[in-house]
Amino acid sequence: SASLVLVQALGDAGVGGPLWVVTRGAVSVGGSDGPVDAVQAAVWGLGRVAGLEVSGRWGGLIDLPGVVDGRVVERVAVVLAGVGGEDQVAVRASGVFGRRLGRVPVGGGEAGWRPRGTVLITGGTGALGARVARWAAVEGAGHLVLVSRRGIEAPGAVGLREELVAAGVRVSVVACDVAERSAVEGLLAGFSVDAVVHAAGSVVNVPLAGVSVGELSGVWAGKVAGAVHLDAVLGERSLDAFVVFSSVAGVWGSGGQAGYAAANAFVDGLVQARRGRGLVGTSVAWGPWAGGGMAAGEGAVEGLRRRGLVALEPGRAVRALGRVVPGEEPVVVVADVDWARFTPAYTSVRPSPLLTGIPEA
């Protein structure tokens, strides 16, 4: 929230010089780095939105190593001078690293994660959670624990439970606010889970200049607090999968979604930290889904399509989920991008070296 207030205050004061935000541990460039700090990663999510919304007074993001010596300071000065045109960099003893988006090979055929045993799905009665539940039932899960704040009182929950039970799966629909640590402790005390899919979350569309700290906290409640509590309460427990639903908003920013981008960048960092502890974890940064979900509303979906983000067909999306979970990368983007449309729109306010790893972009 301090970074948000600073960006807003500089705008209110009419300060036109470029703002660079410096972090430590927000990103990792390899095994020699320490664990990713999810809070620092969230600052990068906010910064990516600032680069789009206040591009004229935004410099960029610089992540420092654990030890800052004269050589590191010199490299930071080079970045600040604009050499290379990079605006998302990690300065390390071995050099300066620029952030890039790149393609990740995923398994084909029958390769991938096939749910088994007890699978807990937060946001389980929502549009995305229900899709995942149906897919998990087909793939072999024996018991689905569908969690939402309203539980069986949520719209469509009764019908979804009946549908899944008719398919031969045991189903528990549980009312639980995952933003409360004690509620998550009680939830996990009642079920021995084999996998977790954290699909809970909400979107708030407010321009960066008008986002309040309260609105920022509201976006974080289910998405961030839920992920933190699930991670902490599960501890070192062995799981088949720990999947968090994230968004491309946290990967490359999205206008009007500063809080949402920061929250998703946080959970991306949390999953990276889990991997650093030797635990399973995958954060899937989704593009928009068709049929409701992270970009609900036909108007929103059509607007995104015009800018090059095509809505994912839900069946295709959940099949992709099974393929990316066992992969080496802790954070994976799954999106249908028309680069010929997306690139000009995305770079209209400022160039972005981030996209140079994609040939079509």
Side-chain angles (χ1 to χ4, degrees):
S1 60
S3 297
L4 170 66
V5 172
L6 174 60
V7 172
Q8 292 173 335
L10 290 174
D12 293 341
V15 176
L19 170 66
W20 288 82
V21 174
V22 179
T23 59
R24 178 175 286 159
V27 295
S28 173
V29 301
S32 60
D33 275 357
V36 170
D37 183 326
V39 174
Q40 300 283 293
V43 174
W44 276 51
L46 178 70
R48 290 168 196 139
V49 175
L52 297 174
E53 289 200 51
V54 292
S55 59
R57 49 190 173 86
W58 179 253
L61 298 151
I62 301 175
D63 194 67
L64 298 179
V67 176
V68 177
D69 56 18
R71 183 171 52 178
V72 168
V73 172
E74 289 176 359
R75 288 173 174 163
V76 169
V78 169
V79 173
L80 294 176
V83 177
E86 300 288 341
D87 61 359
Q88 296 184 54
V89 301
V91 179
R92 299 292 186 263
S94 54
V96 179
F97 296 81
R99 186 168 177 265
R100 295 291 186 272
L101 193 67
R103 284 201 169 82
V104 178
V106 293
E110 296 300 313
W113 170 51
R114 300 193 66 180
R116 66 173 183 88
T118 299
V119 179
L120 185 150
I121 305 172
T122 71
T125 59
L128 272 60
R131 293 282 188 178
V132 174
R134 294 184 182 104
W135 169 78
V138 170
E139 290 296 311
H143 181 198
L144 296 174
V145 181
L146 308 183
V147 178
S148 65
R149 281 182 293 181
R150 296 179 60 185
I152 199 64
E153 300 298 322
V158 172
L160 176 63
R161 182 180 63 182
E162 292 175 349
E163 174 190 344
L164 294 170
V165 169
V169 182
R170 180 185 170 201
V171 180
S172 300
V173 181
V174 182
C176 174
D177 184 355
V178 293
E180 297 291 335
R181 169 71 180 255
S182 60
V184 175
E185 289 173 342
L187 172 70
L188 292 174
F191 300 99
S192 178
V193 301
D194 297 292
V196 172
V197 179
H198 180 44
S202 60
V203 183
V204 175
N205 291 289
V206 181
L208 184 63
V211 179
S212 69
V213 173
E215 287 169 331
L216 191 68
S217 299
V219 175
W220 278 53
K223 173 75 68 177
V224 170
V228 167
H229 298 328
L230 288 166
D231 175 57
V233 176
L234 286 166
E236 305 298 304
R237 191 179 307 183
S238 178
L239 298 171
D240 295 335
F242 182 96
V243 183
V244 175
F245 276 23
S246 180
S247 167
V248 293
V251 173
W252 56 58
S254 180
Q257 295 185 347
Y260 186 61
N264 283 290
F266 180 102
V267 297
D268 292 346
L270 180 143
V271 165
Q272 289 175 296
R274 279 184 62 87
R275 288 284 191 102
R277 303 201 310 270
L279 302 172
V280 296
T282 305
S283 186
V284 185
W286 295 106
W289 283 45
M294 292 184 177
E298 290 303 315
V301 170
E302 176 57 25
L304 290 168
R305 188 194 66 78
R306 288 196 300 269
R307 295 197 297 274
L309 279 176
V310 181
L312 290 163
E313 190 277 316
R316 184 183 180 196
V318 292
R319 288 192 297 273
L321 172 65
R323 293 171 64 195
V324 301
V325 165
E328 294 184 5
E329 295 293 334
V331 181
V332 182
V333 172
V334 178
D336 188 351
V337 185
D338 178 351
W339 295 106
R341 287 177 177 264
F342 181 81
T343 307
Y346 184 72
T347 59
S348 61
V349 292
R350 64 187 287 138
S352 179
L354 173 69
L355 301 182
T356 58
I358 304 295
E360 297 91 331

